[in-house]
Every structure is written in C-alpha cells, then in structure tokens.
Amino acid sequence: MVGAYRIRPTCVSHTPNMRIAYAPINDMKQTKWYIKLALSVLTGLILSLAWYVRGAAIIIMLAFVPLFWLSDISLKEGKRNAFGRGILLFYPAFFVFNLITTYWIAYCTLPGAAAAIIANALLQTLVFATWHACRKQVQNHVLQAVMLISFMVAFEYLHLNWDLTWPWLTLGNVFANMPAMVQWYCITGTLGGTIWILLCNFLVYWEPLTKKEREKRPRKYGSILTLCCLVLPILISVLIYELMERKIDSSTPVEAVIVQQNTDPWEEEYRLTNTQEIQRILDVAQPYINEKTNLVITPESAIAHTIDMEALRKHTFMEGDTRFEGFALLDSVTADYPNLNFVLGLSTVGIYDHRPSPVAQEYTPGQFMEFYNTAGFYNKNGLVSHYHKCRLVPGVEGMPFPKLFGFLGDVLIKLGGTNSSLGKDTVQRTFAFEVDGKPMRIGTAICYESVYGELVAKFVRNGANILAVITNDSWWDDSPGHRQHFEMSRLRAIETRRYVLRAANGGFSGVIDPLGKVLEKTNYDERTAIQTTVYAQNNETFYVKHGDYLAKIGIILTLIGIIYSIMASFLRKKRP
C-alpha cells in the first residue's frame, strides 16, 4: 500500500470482516494530478508490453499494481463519489491498453476502431471503478481481492455473451503464444488465466505492507506465497504438457489440405466471380490432393458472392449463373476423389415464406430472406451440411440490440458495418465424414468465433474429433491483428485437446496440435496450401464438459460483494 491512513477513533468499524472505516483527512496533502495520470498510464503501458505476439507476458503479473496504488491515493484523499472518480482515474490505463493493442482495427475502418477502443476501454474501466467504490466500504485485503477477481471474471463472461461482445482483450488471452505456461486451461479455460493474473498482482501489491500489518503476517511468508502463486501454475502446466504429449491418440489419421488462396479483400474479392474464386482454390489445392485426402479446408468467404442455400443444395441453378457454375468444378474433383470433402467459406441467403428470425428482411409480400456467413460441407453428394456463423462482429455483421439501436443503421454503414444483422445458427453443428470406415466429425469456427472458448468447446461436445478455423484476416493488412488471431487458436486447441486446422485467406494458415504447438504455418500474403496429417481425438476435457463454470461462480460472488458493500455503507451511516 502507499503510505497509511490516519484513523479517527470514533470511526472504528464493528462490521464483521472489516478492519476499520477510514475517515477522510481534510488537511492531508493532495497528490498532483499528473502523478495520478502517470500511474494510470503506467498500467496501460505494462499491459500493452505484456500482450502477445511480441510481448513479455509475465510482466502482466504486476501491471495492475499502479492502479491499486492509485486507488489507495484516492481513498486517502477522502473525496466523495468514489465510483465517478474511479472512472476518471482508471480510464487512461485502459484507453492506452486498447489503443496500443488493437489500433490495427483502423486498417479496416477508422471510425469503427475509434468506437471499439473508446467503448471497450470504458467497459473495462467500469469494472475497476465499481471495485474502487466497493473497496471504500470493505477494507479487508482478502475480500478486496476476491471482489475484483469476481468482478473481472463476471465482466469478461458478459463480454463473451452479449450483443456488444469484444473479448479480444480477455486477460487470460495474454498467454496465447506461451502455451506451455497454461496447459491447465483444459480445466479452467482462459478465465482461469484472468484469475491467476489478478491474484499475482494482489500478492505483489501486498508486499510493501505497513509495519503493523507486517507483524501480523511476516513479509517473508508473503514473498513465499507470491513466488508460489507465480511459479506453481507454470510447473503444473509443464507437467501436464509432458504427460499429454505421450497421451495424444494417433490411431486415426486424417489427411487434410489447407488452402490459403490470398484474395485481396479490397480489390479482388467481389470483382472475381465465384467461378474464378473456385478455380483459384483448386489451382492451389489440387497439387496436394490424392486418394487419401479426406478434407480440403478453405478460408472464410472463400466463395464471396451470395448463394441461395436451397438452390445450391438441390443444384437447381440456371446454366451460366456465375454464382453457381463454379461448383461444377468441385463436382469434377469429388468425382475423381469420392472420399474427398470440402469445408467451404460461403456467403449465403435463405429464402422463406415466413419470417425465420427478427433480422430476416421482407423483399416481396410474404417472402423473406436472411443472409448468413456460412461454412458449407461439400462432397460427391453436393452440399450435405452447413453451419452459419452465430457469433457476429458487432456493427460489422450484426446490429447490437437492434430494437434499441435500429435507428443507428446509417451511422453503422459509415463505420464500415451494416444496417441489418446476418442470420445466426442456434447450435454448433459438426460435419460428418468417414476415414477408413470410421465415423468422424469436424467442427468449424468461423473467424471471430475462434476467440470464444466455450463456443468452440460446444463443437467438441457435439462430436467434433478435430477442429477447423476459417477466417479472412486480410482486412487488417499485415498488422498485429491477424497475428493475435492466429495465436488464439492455440488456446482453443489446449482447452479442447483437439488438432486445429486453420485456413486464413492471406495468412497465417497453419496446423496446431492438442498442446497448442504450431506444427506448420504459412507466411503472410502468400498463395499456398498445406498438406498435413492430423489425428482424431475422442476424449473430452473438463473444460469441454463444464464450459466457463468459473464465470458462474464469479457472477454469484459479484452479487454478494456488491450487496455486502451496500450493507456495510448503510451500517456505517446508521452508526452513532
């Protein structure tokens, strides 16, 4: 802690689990505003320096200590409205963090990037501001730590599951390029990493205690506890890594080709016809296809022009329609290789005589259409299965809270988005195929969905033996964005213990094993393919079975913490 509070004897608290109620000292010297700003910015810089792909992740274990000091300073000054002051104090930290780590969104849309950075920084700030306000009522150090950890875990879970979702900076993601440190994510998921980070920060913060507190808990024990908290999870992870390396099932090989077609999304994607795109896919893939090939994985929106799903399924399209005629090329390949299956990135539309969802658009009286970002499973029988992306990018693919913000449609178009939402699937569908007579299933996460651990785990719960990620990261150019996105797939491999086949339009494409180790990886801006052999896995991890159970615990503790703080404040006001 920074310094010590002076205590007025009449303000000693008798509330259970509270040490003392700190009274404001009107004559104490106020800390200069620029010192407070420097402490806040320092946290933002440390977080940014820790972030992958080039960051030193371990320094995140002290990144929040300056904010804890800042909270101390503010509480000692005794000013009112702790929540509002918390927003002013902590916002610079999270603005700097968001700006440095996600500035690359501007490569696609500058106004959208500004909106994402400003809004996400504010949401993260609200977590700390709420904690700061509750901390004013609860001086017990352990309770303060439990409250912040539960607040952050609950927030990160909310951020994974609401319309304004943007969980790119979930704290546990910071170890994405250091998988050997977090093999226990197969038990906890990335929220376990968030808990580890904040707990270590609190232990570092507690080290310079006041003399009186050191007598209660000798410093050497605190140092040992801090060291154990930092080192033990890493040692456990290394042990799991060694054990799992010998337990990977290699009894059922799956032969796959990953296509990186390298279509420029700005200049080519919508100028080339679907036939030209399919021809490009085959030009890249065919040199690697043979009789044993089971899968060809293409990127998201590899076939970009919108296709009527029902017409494609039934092959009821007109001759000369360039949206469809390229599929005859696929038919000729699957005729030569009857065991071959394509996972295709498609833009699709469904035509209905009823409104299938609130986002469907009526285009003639009694006729509705709904657009989708789709993964299609195509083989000798045509389009046999599909999965529509269900976690949409806010403002770009979906209107957040459309009933509330529908009037902002024109604004979202100017930000690089849409004035209506794409349709969504309701379940993580897997695609069935056979390998030497054995039934197999592949789960395909589309782009942004690979950030969501629990969503990807549902593919495995629905039978996926292997996973694919299809994406188009080329909108961001050669920036940290596509690098960060690639690394997140390594966390999904660890959580599910599945091989991940990643097909990106312009890079990076690659193969990741169940330990999060990159086996093969392409270069950026390269038209190429990867021929690989991966192995079907059948066991389900604890995380796959139970999902983000830590978040449920965090939500309960959050509610308890807020209620406790309100009650503590009420009791203090009632005390004579």
Side-chain angles (χ1 to χ4, degrees), residues 42-52 54-60 97 100-101 174:
L42 179 60
T43 285
L45 291 175
I46 296 174
L47 287 170
S48 303
L49 290 172
W51 213 252
Y52 63 99
R54 296 189 176 94
I58 200 66
I59 66 173
I60 202 171
F97 176 40
I100 294 177
T101 53
V174 73

Side-chain angles (χ1 to χ4, degrees), residues 158 175 205 253 269 331 342 345 502-503 564 567:
L158 169 67
F175 302 110
Y205 159 70
E269 185 166 322
D331 293 338
F342 284 87
R502 190 177 195 274
Y564 181 88
M567 290 178 62

Side-chain angles (χ1 to χ4, degrees), residues 527-542:
R527 185 166 299 151
T528 186
I530 295 175
Q531 183 180 23
T532 186
T533 302
V534 296
Y535 300 92
Q537 307 296 306
N538 295 301
N539 293 331
E540 291 187 1
T541 65
F542 187 89

Side-chain angles (χ1 to χ4, degrees), residues 12 15 22 74 176 194 218 244 249 388 398 501:
V12 176
T15 306
Y22 299 139
S74 179
T194 297
M244 285 301 303
D249 185 355
H388 299 313
L501 303 171

Side-chain angles (χ1 to χ4, degrees), residues 91-113:
Y91 187 79
F94 294 105
F95 178 78
V96 169
F97 176 40
N98 279 263
L99 178 64
I100 294 177
T101 53
T102 61
Y103 71 89
W104 43 265
I105 303 172
Y107 287 27
C108 181
T109 163
L110 180 58

Side-chain angles (χ1 to χ4, degrees), residues 311-518:
L312 179 58
R313 184 180 294 110
K314 295 180 178 179
H315 270 57
T316 56
F317 37 84
M318 296 178 60
E319 184 178 349
D321 189 333
T322 58
R323 293 173 299 164
F324 295 97
E325 63 182 9
F327 288 91
L329 299 174
L330 296 180
D331 293 338
S332 65
V333 175
T334 56
D336 292 336
Y337 302 101
N339 295 322
L340 184 62
N341 304 276
F342 284 87
V343 176
L344 300 173
L346 304 171
S347 295
T348 64
V349 63
I351 309 296
Y352 307 93
D353 58 5
H354 62 284
R355 188 183 295 275
S357 77
V359 302
Q361 304 172 36
E362 186 174 16
Y363 71 101
T364 61
Q367 292 288 313
F368 299 86
M369 58 182 174
E370 189 168 52
F371 295 91
Y372 307 99
N373 186 343
T374 303
F377 199 65
Y378 197 96
N379 57 28
K380 62 183 180 181
N381 299 313
L383 183 70
V384 296
S385 187
H386 69 272
Y387 165 70
H388 299 313
K389 184 179 182 182
C390 71
R391 202 54 61 96
L392 305 177
V393 180
V396 177
E397 296 178 314
M399 169 76 72
F401 308 111
K403 292 182 179 180
L404 184 61
F405 296 118
F407 68 95
L408 293 176
D410 293 339
V411 175
L412 287 177
I413 290 176
K414 293 178 182 178
L415 296 180
T418 177
N419 67 346
S420 63
S421 295
L422 296 179
K424 300 187 289 186
D425 232 319
T426 57
V427 64
Q428 277 58 60
R429 307 177 192 278
T430 57
F431 303 145
F433 62 104
E434 289 188 354
V435 175
D436 296 330
K438 296 180 181 178
M440 296 287 135
R441 286 189 174 272
I442 181 171
T444 305
I446 303 174
C447 187
Y448 190 51
E449 292 184 324
S450 64
V451 184
Y452 297 81
E454 192 170 47
L455 182 147
V456 174
K458 289 178 181 178
F459 284 114
V460 177
R461 289 209 294 271
N462 292 336
N465 310 102
I466 57 177
L467 295 171
V469 173
I470 63 173
T471 185
N472 184 2
D473 297 339
S474 299
W475 295 104
W476 307 328
D477 294 329
D478 191 8
S479 69
H482 76 89
R483 292 177 168 83
Q484 292 171 2
H485 198 195
F486 179 89
E487 299 296 333
M488 288 186 198
S489 294
R490 303 175 74 177
L491 297 181
R492 305 294 83 83
I494 294 170
E495 290 166 347
T496 62
R497 296 303 183 197
R498 293 294 187 268
Y499 282 89
V500 176
L501 303 171
R502 190 177 195 274
N505 174 38
F508 299 130
S509 302
V511 183
I512 302 167
D513 78 1
L515 299 172
K517 182 167 59 177
V518 179

Side-chain angles (χ1 to χ4, degrees), residues 127-128 147-156 171 194 198:
V127 177
F128 271 74
M147 288 171 63
L148 180 58
I149 291 171
S150 61
F151 289 3
M152 183 59 75
V153 168
F155 160 72
E156 290 187 341
L171 295 179
T194 297
L198 290 175

Side-chain angles (χ1 to χ4, degrees), residues 162-176:
W162 70 326
D163 280 6
L164 286 176
T165 180
W166 176 240
W168 204 270
L169 299 183
T170 295
L171 295 179
N173 288 343
V174 73
F175 302 110

